[in-house]
Each structure stands twice: as C-alpha cells, then as structure tokens.
Amino acid sequence: MGRLVYSAIASLDGYVNDAGGGFEWAMPSDDLFAFVLERERPRTTYLYGRRMYETMAVWEEWAQDESETEATRDFGRMWSAAEKVVWSRTLEGVTTSRTRLEREFDPAAVRRLVDAAPGDVSIGVATLAHEALRAGIVDDLEVYAVPAVVGGGTPTLPTGIRLDLELVETARFEQGATFAAYRVLG
C-alpha cells in the first residue's frame, strides 16, 4: 500500500512558479538534487497535469544521454521506470513509456491507485494536488523552500482548506533551500 505524497519546490512566499509561469529560480544545487533523487526512489508512480508532464518528459531522453551527469541519468532512469498518469482534456496523446492519459480527475480512483501501488505515489503538480488536498486523499506533504520571493504565480497550497500536520523531517542545503516533510493528520 503506497502513500500519496505531494512534493513541491516552492518560493519562500509560497509559489511553485512565478506570475509568468517560470520556475528557473527553483533550479536545485547539486546537494539538493542528490537529496531529491534519494527521496524519489520509493516513488513508483507519478501523477501529472499536461504542462508538468510535458516538462518532465525530457527525463526519458536524458536517462540515455551520455553527455548528461550520472545523477541526471539516474533520475531519468528512475523516472522512466515509474508509472505515470497524466490528466488533461487537451493533450491528444502521451509520448513516454509506462504513461497513460486520463481526462477527469477522480479522487476515489486516485485513492484506489495509491492503495494498490507497490510504492509511494507522487503528485507533483499544484493544480492536481490542490484537488487531492481538498478531497482529503494526500498522505504526506514535502516542501522544498528555495530562497526566492517571486511575488505571485501558482500557490503551493490551495486556499480554503485546513490541514493538521506532523513535522517528520527537515534538511538544509548549500544554496539556502530548506526541506520539510509533513504527515497529514486525520
């Protein structure tokens, strides 16, 4: 039985991207990337919206690219081996292995998927995570806060919900980023 984990790299003011949709300010340092790589190993399934899927699809190519770093190839191999589910009403098809396309986000179906997964399931896009959080199906939150204030964009967490959380892990990285993992209570 897996756990549904919402993992996000966020600005200090709480956004996953800036008002223009950019997130170049969130590029991880080598030590942060190594930490993320280890955190992602137990994840056997990734849940995405169209834009995040299109951004992440390059990892399948990078997994085989000898000009990339070993860490990049390692993450790419891990990502390629995982199951991926993409929710989109506009995407015509998927281009990566082990990937399926869904049209409507159904929290009960997602919970069944998580419960049947051989490892943890990552929901790594804020818009889907907001729906999952509102539906009460997220088990864990992981926030990588980077030392940047972007002034607007897509919020890391949705408004209008209340969550009681238990802090289970923290870490700090060279560039000044911090990590906090929380278990969702009740």
Side-chain angles (χ1 to χ4, degrees), residues 17-93:
N17 57 32
D18 59 32
F23 52 88
E24 63 283 344
W25 46 266
M27 295 306 294
S29 59
D30 289 344
D31 66 328
L32 177 53
F33 186 68
F35 184 85
V36 169
L37 183 60
E38 291 309 309
R39 297 280 316 170
E40 292 296 310
R41 287 196 192 284
R43 315 266 158 85
T44 58
T45 307
Y46 291 97
L47 310 181
Y48 295 122
R50 178 190 53 82
R51 283 180 287 176
M52 183 60 79
Y53 169 71
E54 290 174 341
T55 299
M56 296 298 291
V58 72
W59 286 101
E60 194 161 86
E61 179 184 320
W62 288 347
Q64 307 304 319
D65 188 342
E66 292 299 320
S67 69
E68 295 294 340
T69 66
E70 179 55 35
T72 296
R73 289 193 313 273
D74 190 19
F75 185 86
R77 288 187 295 269
M78 187 176 55
W79 188 85
S80 297
E83 297 293 326
K84 293 161 285 288
V85 183
V86 181
W87 278 269
S88 174
R89 293 184 189 105
T90 59
L91 191 63
E92 291 186 23

Side-chain angles (χ1 to χ4, degrees), residues 71 84 179 184:
K84 293 161 285 288
F179 168 78
V184 178

Side-chain angles (χ1 to χ4, degrees), residues 103-115:
R103 297 297 181 198
E104 299 296 325
F105 186 83
D106 176 3
V110 170
R111 188 72 248 174
R112 287 190 300 275
L113 180 148
V114 171
D115 290 343

Side-chain angles (χ1 to χ4, degrees), residues 130-162:
H130 291 185
E131 290 185 54
L133 286 161
R134 284 187 185 104
I137 62 171
V138 174
D139 299 302
D140 298 307
L141 296 174
E142 296 179 349
V143 179
Y144 298 86
V146 299
V149 173
V150 299
T154 303
T156 307
L157 297 169
T159 59
I161 66 165
R162 177 181 165 92

